[in-house]
Amino acid sequence: MGEGILSGVRVVEIDGGQALSVAGLLLAEAGAEVIKVEADRGARGAASFAVWNRSKKSVHLDIGTAGGRASLDRLLRAADVLMTDWPADRQNRARLDEASLADLYPHLIHTAIGGWPANHRLANRPVDDTIVLAESGLMDEQRGVRDGPIYLRFPLGSWGAAYLAAIGVVSRLIQAGRGGGAGPVSTSLVQGALLPTAMLWRRAEFASSALVDSMNKEMRSPQFECGDGVWIHVKAPPDDAPLMRAALAGLGPNRIAELNRGWPSNHTCINWGANAHIFKTRPSAEWLADLWGADVPVQADVPMGAIYRDEQALANGYVVDVEDPELGKTRQPGVPCTVDPPMRVRSAAPGLGTTPITVWDDAPTPDRKWVDDSLPLAGVRIADFGSFVAGPLAPMILGDLGADVIKIEGTGGDVMRRVEGAFLGAHRGKRSLALDLKSPAAAKVVERLVRWADIVHHNIRMPAAWRIGLANDQVMAISPDVIFCHVSSYGPVGPRKDWPGYDQLFQAQSGWEYEGAGEGNPPMWHRFGMMDHQAGLASALSMLLALYHRDRTGQRQAAAGSLLGASVMTVSEMVMLDDGALSPVPRLDSRQMGVDPGRRLYAVKDGWVALVAEQDGALSRLCDLAGADHVAGLEESLADVDMESVIAMAAAAGGCAVVAHRDHCNAFFDDPDNRRLGLVQIYRHARLGRLELPGAFLHFGPRPAIGDLPPPDVGEHSRPVMSEIGVTAEEAEELIAAGAVHDGGHGAGAMVFRSTAV
């Protein structure tokens, strides 16, 4: 299969849905040898199977039999990692839970993905996005075409949990390589979905109206229909682009005011109504050329799959050709991370059972002790120069795993502080140093930060990074050991490599704004900002792979992630076939209720439920129980039934239904299980007082992985950080006096309220 950073790492993956399969894919294409244990053909033949199980091997066995379990044990003796998404009770029955494996195979990194964390009362729910997103209340967090919860077509939990599981595995490998042992790591779909929800949910004792309203459900992002019927998504004021400027001048102030009446207005789009009127006067190609020429971030909303023909995606290897044994020649997503040795597609998805069970018989059992609740990145130091969300998110995730993270922001603060909810969701566990990077006096502080750090990370556009001394070659020239990691919009090579970009543009370009809107509806932006978060997760994985590689070889490197690469990967449930056709995917209906009668939301007598009834005959049995003559009549029949009864009927029919909660943030935060298991974190903040935020995205044994410090105020830690990296007290005073550093008002002798977790 060739070499990769994880070459020599052996992974057993037991069956699995999307999150588990994608986590295994990420490890396999980073060089690990991943064996997928399959009891039957499962989802074989689907495009998603072809992508999510590339670069793996397949062993065919039934673990429920004595012979099958013996064969599994044969693999586990030589494996480094076991991955499963079986519910907690099934793991316990099969002796594949943490406690059993600690006795049987203390060398293993046991990796579990649930719907909810182990020991939660919902731990045995199906590992299914429809169920988890409804019951957690997240289907009520999206503005849609009607009142009520909106079916989230994007599998928010699975895409988060997939990366989190891979991140957890690599961090445990780093810990083991440093003599810290192996042990369990777990995540869940609800934790994967909480990562972007951290921008949306919070409670603060002294919350301003701006914080309360930050990222609220009614917020809109500027999307406009052009003269040819194509919609475009704009992420900066379009008014100064030549064609728009001329058109606005032609309208005059009175007509502009008239057109703007009734439309929203924000810093991105001041003349929303007038812009909407003008965009319809020309075709999308003219507008895109004009806006791109003026450096205005914009993309066209396109159907899912169109990205397979994108020149920038092809140039960066984010799209690759794969000869699949069942689908033939296909075009698929490539790898989302840039590391060296590179991640790469090593083979097509394997045939069922094509690997002999004896494959690892000659491999020695890894020599590791079992650990459970220690954080794996203790002692790792990160200088985070990023802004917005895609930049700072990855350092925050590594901070949750024990790394020491210094956030370097301008003396006026990160630009994202104006959207404080989003800022809070990407900055816990960090200390803030407010530094004017454009000031010549800042150069020596930057140099000392780089020498202090194991990793330097940012998402500054590379031409600007060169001007302030933070391009990869400049950073790596300062320190012989530092790892440099960059998050770009469009990838490190190609004609758009230095273009600006935002989450919204990649929701548009990947096709998710159309898929999430429902049949016949205008494209819809998802306020979860999932492309920012996917890019941040990919960047976190690339940093860990680089750190693991440096530990083993002594070789540093420049790693990278991008919004484009991460967004292409999310299209992997669809592939392009040899004739240019796209493989089919489930389509959301126009009312945003679901993708078919057996997987959708239903309005019932006293609220809403989400139903998954896809087992053979389950939907038919449910119709009989509900008194519906046919599937088309099920919605009407359930409308007069209460939630509790619908849930009971679904279970009796062999399906699963749960309450689709509404306005659920407070209930989620107050839930005893969520608090006990660290899904909610409570801080004392210097300005906001008692601050509650979504909590741990990973668990290491019983320990929630979460930073102790709340999101910092601007420059809150400037003085102690400067002292720590070797700036003398006299130098610090000069920097502050010159305006090169802002100390957040915490001058010498000032009383500082220590922000900390409680």
Side-chain angles (χ1 to χ4, degrees):
M1 280 193 170
E3 293 297 311
I5 286 178
L6 297 184
S7 178
V9 175
R10 296 183 291 274
V11 180
V12 174
E13 172 192 313
I14 298 180
D15 274 330
Q18 176 182 342
L20 187 76
S21 297
V22 173
L25 169 72
L26 293 168
L27 298 176
E29 297 196 338
E33 186 176 6
V34 178
I35 291 180
K36 189 175 186 72
V37 175
E38 300 180 83
D40 52 45
R41 287 189 59 83
R44 284 181 169 272
S48 56
F49 187 95
V51 179
W52 299 341
N53 294 289
R54 290 181 324 218
S55 305
K56 302 177 185 178
K57 298 177 178 179
S58 170
V59 166
H60 185 207
L61 57 89
D62 182 356
I63 299 168
T65 66
R69 179 56 195 244
S71 294
L72 175 65
D73 288 341
R74 195 170 186 170
L75 293 173
L76 294 182
R77 279 192 291 272
D80 297 284
V81 182
L82 168 66
M83 304 177 69
T84 179
D85 62 357
W86 285 2
D89 59 351
R90 189 178 180 189
Q91 287 188 56
N92 291 333
R93 290 195 303 270
R95 298 193 70 199
L96 292 176
D97 57 292
E98 289 179 11
S100 297
L101 289 172
D103 292 332
L104 294 169
Y105 304 109
H107 64 278
L108 274 178
I109 297 171
H110 172 256
T111 310
I113 301 175
W116 293 76
N119 301 318
H120 196 285
R121 69 181 183 282
L122 303 178
N124 290 310
R125 286 281 195 262
V127 184
D128 186 292
D129 282 279
T130 297
I131 298 299
V132 170
L133 296 178
E135 196 160 21
S136 63
L138 297 185
M139 283 193 181
D140 193 45
E141 290 296 327
Q142 180 63 43
R143 184 176 185 271
V145 298
R146 54 166 175 79
D147 184 41
I150 300 300
Y151 188 93
L152 291 174
R153 175 64 181 81
F154 186 85
L156 194 67
S158 286
W159 275 114
Y163 277 102
L164 288 168
I167 285 166
V169 167
V170 179
S171 67
R172 278 294 203 199
L173 288 170
I174 291 169
Q175 182 181 34
R178 295 180 172 190
V185 58
S186 63
T187 188
S188 62
L189 300 197
V190 74
Q191 288 167 284
L194 277 179
L195 183 62
T197 305
M199 298 195 304
L200 313 180
W201 282 2
R202 89 290 298 184
R203 293 196 302 207
E205 184 178 4
F206 304 120
S208 65
S209 59
L211 177 57
V212 171
D213 291 338
S214 177
M215 299 287 292
N216 69 61
K217 186 175 175 179
E218 297 307 311
M219 71 180 296
R220 297 175 64 180
S221 192
Q223 292 167 275
F224 299 101
E225 186 178 11
C226 299
D228 54 358
V230 173
W231 288 75
I232 61 175
H233 202 141
V234 179
K235 262 309 288 175
D239 295 7
D240 287 334
L243 290 178
M244 182 60 69
R245 184 171 62 246
L248 288 169
L251 289 174
N254 292 338
R255 178 60 173 151
I256 290 172
E258 179 185 347
L259 290 167
N260 285 340
R261 197 169 297 122
W263 287 81
S265 178
N266 58 31
H267 65 275
T268 301
C269 204
I270 299 169
N271 293 306
W272 202 309
N275 294 148
H277 171 79
I278 293 167
F279 275 121
K280 286 187 176 181
T281 64
R282 292 177 181 268
S284 57
E286 291 186 24
W287 286 119
L288 290 170
D290 187 55
L291 294 165
W292 284 333
D295 201 36
V296 174
V298 60
Q299 280 292 345
D301 274 292
V302 297
M304 184 181 285
I307 203 166
Y308 282 132
R309 294 188 172 92
D310 183 83
E311 65 171 346
Q312 187 70 15
L314 288 162
N316 282 277
Y318 298 146
V319 170
V320 294
D321 292 327
V322 178
E323 185 74 34
D324 184 80
E326 297 194 25
L327 299 176
K329 185 177 180 181
T330 63
R331 182 164 286 183
Q332 302 181 7
V335 297
C337 304
T338 301
V339 288
D340 185 25
M343 294 178 69
R344 64 181 181 85
V345 178
R346 299 171 186 277
S347 65
L352 179 66
T354 50
T355 298
I357 197 65
T358 58
V359 61
W360 290 340
D361 277 4
D362 295 333
T365 298
D367 182 17
R368 299 193 192 101
K369 64 181 180 180
W370 179 273
V371 298
D372 52 13
D373 64 351
S374 59
L375 294 180
L377 297 188
V380 174
R381 299 183 293 194
I382 302 174
D384 168 20
F385 289 88
S387 59
F388 294 97
V389 175
L393 185 72
M396 183 190 79
I397 292 170
L398 270 57
D400 283 352
L401 306 188
D404 182 2
V405 183
I406 295 175
K407 176 180 177 57
I408 301 95
E409 56 185 319
T411 52
D414 186 328
V415 66
M416 206 61 179
R417 285 185 181 274
R418 68 188 180 201
V419 187
E420 190 166 18
F423 182 87
L424 294 176
H427 286 93
R428 72 185 185 202
K430 303 179 186 180
R431 295 179 290 162
S432 170
L433 167 61
L435 180 66
D436 180 4
L437 293 173
K438 296 179 181 178
S439 167
K444 61 184 177 183
V445 181
V446 170
E447 180 176 342
R448 292 177 192 182
L449 283 164
V450 171
R451 293 189 184 281
W452 168 88
D454 291 290
I455 302 170
V456 171
H457 185 277
H458 69 73
N459 61 331
I460 303 167
R461 281 206 270 173
M462 204 49 75
W466 273 105
R467 290 194 294 272
I468 58 176
L470 284 174
N472 53 345
D473 289 347
Q474 294 167 310
V475 168
M476 296 174 80
I478 295 172
S479 171
D481 300 318
V482 73
I483 291 165
F484 176 82
C485 188
H486 184 246
V487 179
S488 64
S489 296
Y490 289 92
V493 300
R496 282 177 267 160
K497 65 183 178 68
D498 295 325
W499 281 22
Y502 297 86
D503 165 83
Q504 292 87 339
L505 307 188
F506 295 93
Q507 288 196 34
Q509 192 178 9
S510 62
W512 280 110
E513 291 195 332
Y514 265 120
E515 290 298 320
E519 184 179 0
N521 294 323
M524 177 186 80
W525 173 63
H526 301 73
R527 75 185 184 109
F528 292 96
M530 63 270 196
M531 297 311 166
D532 269 344
H533 290 79
Q534 290 290 296
L537 285 162
S539 173
L541 178 61
S542 70
M543 279 194 282
L544 290 171
L545 289 170
L547 188 60
Y548 177 78
H549 184 66
R550 191 187 73 174
D551 280 1
R552 293 179 72 205
T553 67
Q555 299 171 359
R556 62 180 186 164
Q557 63 173 279
S562 72
L563 283 155
L564 178 59
S567 63
V568 173
M569 180 58 79
T570 67
V571 183
S572 54
E573 60 185 85
M574 169 190 283
V575 300
M576 181 180 288
L577 304 174
D578 193 27
D579 62 359
L582 297 166
S583 61
V585 294
R587 302 288 184 183
L588 182 62
D589 72 297
S590 62
R591 293 189 297 142
Q592 300 173 332
M593 299 290 279
V595 294
D596 63 51
R599 182 173 287 276
R600 57 161 285 183
L601 293 162
Y602 285 91
V604 298
K605 184 177 181 180
D606 53 347
W608 292 79
V609 298
L611 171 71
V612 175
E614 295 176 328
Q615 298 278 356
D616 288 346
L619 195 59
S620 176
R621 291 190 291 272
L622 179 59
C623 287
D624 291 341
L625 291 170
D629 294 334
H630 44 72
V631 170
L634 184 59
E635 182 173 10
E636 183 177 355
S637 296
L638 293 180
D640 293 326
V641 184
D642 62 84
M643 290 186 290
E644 185 176 347
S645 298
V646 171
I647 290 168
M649 284 192 291
C656 179
V658 297
V659 176
H661 288 294
R662 303 199 65 188
D663 298 319
H664 200 55
C665 173
N666 287 337
F668 188 97
F669 278 13
D670 292 334
D671 182 278
D673 273 10
N674 294 343
R675 298 175 86 84
R676 175 176 57 85
L677 293 170
L679 299 187
V680 180
Q681 180 76 342
I682 305 171
Y683 296 103
R684 292 297 303 176
H685 189 277
R687 177 172 47 85
L688 299 173
R690 180 185 172 93
L691 175 64
E692 296 174 79
L693 298 172
F697 310 125
L698 283 160
H699 281 80
F700 290 89
R703 179 173 183 167
I706 191 164
D708 289 335
L709 296 174
D713 277 343
V714 181
E716 183 177 349
H717 309 94
S718 290
R719 287 178 179 271
V721 164
M722 284 192 292
S723 176
E724 185 176 327
I725 65 174
V727 178
T728 67
E730 293 76 17
E731 289 173 323
E733 292 302 328
E734 290 174 2
L735 289 163
I736 293 167
V741 170
H742 173 50
D743 71 348
H746 305 308
M751 183 176 293
V752 179
F753 186 93
R754 175 72 171 169
S755 299
T756 187
V758 295

